[in-house]
Amino acid sequence: MRVPSSIERVLLDEETIAGRVRELAAQISADYDDADALMLVGVLKGAFIFMADLSRRLTIVHHVDFIALSSYSRGATSTGAVRLIMDTRASVTGRHVLIVEDIVDTGYTLDYLLRNFRAREPASLRACALLSKSARRQVDVPVDYVGFEIPDVWVVGYGLDYADRFRTLPYIAALKREVYAR
Ligand code: 5GP
C-alpha cells in the first residue's frame, strides 16, 4: 500500500471500513423493514463513497438523493455557519429520511441539517455518520448510526478530503498535523 507523505497514519483500513459498513447496513435494513421506501440523503462531497457502499449493502427498498452544503470553513477550521447550496431532487415530505454524513465533528452541520429537514415534515428523520469526533462536539446533536468514534485529528480518504485532495484513498488516515495546523 503506497501512503502519501502527508499522511501520519492509517486509522481504518479497507477491510475494517467494509466490515462496519456491512454491520450498519444490516442494522438499518432491520430498523426500516416495516417502513415504506427509505430515502437516503447523502451529503456531498464527503459522503459519496460511504453512501455508495452503504446503499449497495441495504436489503430494503430505498432511494438515493444528495444535498450539498457550503460550510464557510477556513482550511481545517469550521466557522459553524452552514448553508444549503444544492437541495434534494425529490420532496422529503412524508418520507422516511436518513441523512448520510461522512463525519460529525462540532455537530453544527448535522444540527443545521436536522432542523432544515424537520421543517419539511418527513415521516421520520434520522442521521447516520461514518465517523464521529465526540470529543469536539459543540452542539448536542443526535446521531442514530455511527460507524466509528475517532480521535481529534484531521482525517482523509474514503470520500474525505483536505483542500479537495486525498478523497479517493481507499482507507481513512490521519493527516500530518503540520499539513493542516496553523
Ligand atoms: P461539523 O459541522 O460537525 O463541525 O463538521 C462537519 C463537517 O466538517 C463534515 O461534514 C466534514 O465536511 C468536515 N470535517 C470535520 N472533521 C473533518 C475531518 O477530520 N476530515 C475531513 N475531511 N472533514 C472533516
Side-chain angles (χ1 to χ4, degrees):
M1 181 165 70
R2 211 189 116 264
V3 176
S5 60
S6 311
I7 298 298
E8 177 80 53
R9 69 194 161 102
V10 174
L11 293 182
L12 302 163
D13 63 22
E14 280 186 79
E15 293 73 34
T16 306
I17 298 169
R20 186 69 186 119
V21 170
R22 261 199 304 276
E23 288 175 1
L24 287 172
Q27 193 185 339
I28 293 165
S29 297
D31 290 354
Y32 287 90
D33 196 30
D34 294 333
D36 289 338
L38 173 64
M39 181 172 174
L40 294 183
V41 177
V43 184
L44 294 173
K45 298 177 193 173
F48 84 110
I49 293 179
F50 176 42
M51 177 81 161
D53 285 350
L54 182 72
S55 61
R56 285 180 297 176
R57 292 281 178 197
L58 293 178
T59 55
I60 50 168
V61 176
H62 65 281
H63 305 281
V64 294
D65 215 318
F66 290 94
I67 55 171
L69 299 172
S70 156
S71 63
Y72 300 106
S73 61
R74 292 190 211 98
T77 311
S78 170
T79 57
V82 186
R83 190 167 56 95
L84 195 63
I85 56 170
M86 187 192 92
D87 208 345
T88 55
R89 276 289 179 93
S91 166
V92 304
T93 305
R95 314 280 296 274
H96 292 284
V97 175
L98 180 63
I99 293 174
V100 179
E101 261 277 38
D102 52 357
I103 183 166
V104 181
D105 183 20
T106 61
Y108 287 124
T109 304
L110 186 57
D111 184 59
Y112 164 84
L113 280 178
L114 289 173
R115 280 188 284 112
N116 182 300
F117 275 70
R118 206 171 285 127
R120 308 180 201 193
E121 301 184 342
S124 69
L125 180 62
R126 287 184 187 162
C128 173
L130 177 66
L131 307 171
S132 172
K133 292 186 208 173
S134 297
R136 287 198 19 104
R137 209 71 94 240
Q138 299 287 319
V139 195
D140 185 21
V141 66
V143 193
D144 303 276
Y145 306 95
V146 176
F148 303 94
E149 283 292 340
I150 61 163
D152 178 14
V153 290
W154 191 264
V155 290
V156 294
Y158 197 71
L160 292 106
D161 73 312
Y162 178 71
D164 233 7
R165 293 173 60 206
F166 312 112
R167 264 190 218 287
T168 53
L169 294 175
Y171 47 80
I172 290 170
L175 208 56
K176 282 184 181 158
R177 206 166 276 272
E178 66 258 30
V179 178
Y180 65 90
R182 58 209 64 234

